Amino acid sequence: YPAFNVNLVRNDFPILAEQVNGKPLIWLDNAATTQKPKQVIERLNYFYEHENSNIHRAAHELAARSTDAYEGARQKVQRFINARSPNEIVFVRGTTEAINLVASSWGDEFLQQGDEIILTHLEHHANIVPWQLLAQKKGLKIRVIPVDDDGQILLDEYARLLNPRTKLVSFTLVSNALGTITPAKQIVDMAHAAGAKVLADGAQSVSHIRTDVQDLDADWFVFSGHKVFGPTGIGVLYGKEDLLNSTQPYQGGGNMIQDVTFEHTQFHKAPARFEAGTGNIADAVGLGAAIDYVQKIGIDHIYQYEHYLLEYASQKLARIPGLRPIGTARDKTSVLSFVLDGFTTGQVGEALSREGIAVRSGHHCAQPILRRFGVEATVRPSLAFYNTCAEIDTLVYAIEKLKSSGRG
Ligand code: PMP
């Protein structure tokens, strides 16, 4: 493939040389989490060997180093998603925490009984449950945009759901269960036209599709570092600067204050406003290294290569008799959900694991969308740029072998 040399890239990922069950590892569980290049692993080591200190508060050399590394990572995130200012980048634990942060701070402060929140049928539980908790507490109504039989959302239905009571639209850019790429710009523009705020869940999009938060114009954009070749336990809440600064903090503590008395606290502006306590400094720095790595390859090269791989895999899988793909939208990326006649998804997952192939089988924390297709679980191979056509061939071969053995 012309854009980049996949074999060279694979050499950057030590774990891809791993053997499991006596077979070379084939990592096709990228939607759950991605593997880490040595550039990220080495950056974490370097931090702990040469820079480790708490940030901001102390005035010594290592505090300066760790602060520079941490704030440098924030700038890398800013440029990666094309935010206007590093002040719009809040480090959090991951997508889940970012959504809970918005629900608990902005949602609790600004939403009132009778207000409505629109979600899509594609959402991960992380973009359902926080809103449900808030809705129960405040008497809000949640409305859901339905999808068609291919797993794409229905914009006409969305238009009908929007009304003057709609205060928030929260949607995923890419479905983790089906791989559908949603029509994000239209969703955002229609929400804004109705006077609602918009949160875009980028957990499944950041590693596959170019992110430009200014172009998208969502009020918040959230993602997890571990899904974009960075460490676990670090993620990002992007929010428009004015909005962040006009929202009450999520948690109180050190780091986020300008002045405290027993009567009153003056808070910092964003991002410190939302970063109470000692954060995950090292892993933020690791995320910065992951972003450098992705940008070196080029997100557009990644997109093109993965598109080619997805087409290749979709066609091969579709030829297996008894295999039913779930999620066949024209716009999709990286996810190949399916069920196989005569076998439970657990049986397929175990059979593949015996061949060294890691896929997720289960409900993928997205039960509503699977039920929309009449299933409780699917087998879900999911791709990254280090996967190859040869790995897809092995996957197809392993499924055929399972079928001919007739046993799970
Ligand atoms: N949203 C989507 C679309 C996801 O795929 C995931 C992770 N599977 C999440 C949210 C939650 O991310 P995390 O567990 O990293 O907080």
Side-chain angles (χ1 to χ4, degrees), residues 116-386:
E116 297 185 4
I117 295 174
I118 296 183
L119 308 175
T120 84
H121 210 137
L122 293 169
E123 298 316 309
H124 186 279
H125 296 164
N127 197 25
I128 301 173
V129 184
W131 305 118
Q132 238 163 30
L133 289 169
L134 186 70
Q136 281 157 13
K137 184 169 159 194
K138 308 207 57 145
L140 314 174
K141 188 171 170 69
I142 291 177
R143 293 172 169 269
V144 181
I145 311 173
V147 299
D148 64 20
D149 290 340
D150 290 320
Q152 183 54 277
I153 69 151
L154 291 161
L155 283 173
D156 305 355
E157 300 289 330
Y158 172 42
R160 272 195 279 280
L161 293 177
L162 284 162
N163 72 71
R165 288 183 304 276
T166 311
K167 292 289 152 45
L168 173 73
V169 176
S170 191
F171 75 102
T172 192
L173 297 178
V174 171
S175 154
N176 72 309
L178 311 183
T180 312
I181 302 174
T182 55
K185 279 197 63 119
Q186 277 154 294
I187 296 173
V188 173
D189 291 347
M190 287 164 72
H192 283 161
K197 294 264 185 284
V198 189
L199 185 149
D201 176 351
Q204 292 296 337
S205 70
V206 273
S207 66
H208 307 294
I209 303 174
R210 178 175 292 281
T211 306
D212 182 335
V213 290
Q214 293 188 56
D215 182 53
L216 180 63
D217 199 34
D219 299 281
W220 302 277
F221 173 85
V222 301
F223 70 94
S224 301
H226 71 97
K227 296 200 198 251
V228 58
F229 316 103
T232 49
I234 188 75
V236 170
L237 165 69
Y238 154 87
K240 289 180 180 169
E241 194 166 359
D242 290 349
L243 180 59
L244 290 178
N245 285 330
S246 59
T247 303
Q248 286 291 306
Y250 171 49
Q251 294 175 331
N255 239 6
M256 47 82 75
I257 58 88
Q258 256 165 8
D259 192 79
V260 180
T261 65
F262 278 107
E263 290 72 38
H264 180 73
T265 296
Q266 227 181 324
F267 305 120
H268 271 310
K269 287 187 181 306
R273 185 183 193 80
F274 295 103
E275 292 184 0
T278 301
N280 193 346
I281 305 164
D283 290 318
V285 174
L287 173 58
I291 286 172
D292 281 346
Y293 185 83
V294 168
Q295 291 196 307
K296 197 180 73 190
I297 297 176
I299 193 82
D300 295 335
H301 292 152
I302 290 173
Y303 178 81
Q304 285 160 23
Y305 175 70
E306 289 179 349
H307 187 71
Y308 156 80
L309 209 55
L310 184 74
E311 291 283 303
Y312 181 84
S314 306
Q315 284 170 21
K316 286 244 161 172
L317 287 173
R319 277 192 226 122
I320 299 175
L323 184 146
R324 176 185 162 210
I326 312 270
T328 46
R330 195 165 42 85
D331 288 329
K332 65 175 279 184
T333 182
S334 312
V335 173
L336 297 142
S337 252
F338 66 85
V339 289
L340 188 64
D341 276 356
F343 297 90
T344 66
T345 56
Q347 286 171 330
V348 179
E350 282 162 30
L352 294 179
S353 182
R354 287 197 290 273
E355 303 294 328
I357 304 169
V359 301
R360 178 96 186 263
S361 41
H363 60 54
H364 321 306
C365 304
Q367 287 180 317
I369 190 60
L370 293 191
R371 288 180 182 148
R372 161 65 178 77
F373 289 88
V375 294
E376 283 295 318
T378 66
V379 183
R380 184 194 63 176
S382 53
L383 309 171
F385 61 80
Y386 42 62

Side-chain angles (χ1 to χ4, degrees), residues 36-146:
K36 317 308 169 199
K38 59 178 188 276
Q39 287 83 347
V40 169
I41 300 167
E42 285 165 7
R43 186 67 188 87
L44 291 173
N45 271 335
Y46 186 89
F47 179 83
Y48 285 120
E49 288 177 359
H50 301 286
E51 300 167 327
N52 182 49
S53 161
N54 211 326
I55 51 169
H56 303 303
R57 280 166 288 198
H60 52 70
E61 171 60 21
L62 290 194
R65 287 186 198 172
S66 73
T67 305
D68 286 351
Y70 184 70
E71 294 305 329
R74 196 189 304 281
Q75 284 170 6
K76 288 172 204 265
V77 174
Q78 177 211 342
R79 288 194 291 268
F80 181 56
I81 67 172
N82 195 32
R84 280 179 197 84
S85 157
N87 296 336
E88 298 181 316
I89 309 301
V90 177
F91 283 122
V92 292
R93 206 153 51 83
T95 306
T96 302
E97 187 175 53
I99 296 172
N100 278 280
L101 189 162
V102 175
S104 307
S105 59
W106 178 83
D108 196 50
E109 188 178 354
F110 293 106
L111 298 185
Q112 285 157 14
Q113 182 161 15
D115 285 346
E116 297 185 4
I117 295 174
I118 296 183
L119 308 175
T120 84
H121 210 137
L122 293 169
E123 298 316 309
H124 186 279
H125 296 164
N127 197 25
I128 301 173
V129 184
W131 305 118
Q132 238 163 30
L133 289 169
L134 186 70
Q136 281 157 13
K137 184 169 159 194
K138 308 207 57 145
L140 314 174
K141 188 171 170 69
I142 291 177
R143 293 172 169 269
V144 181
I145 311 173

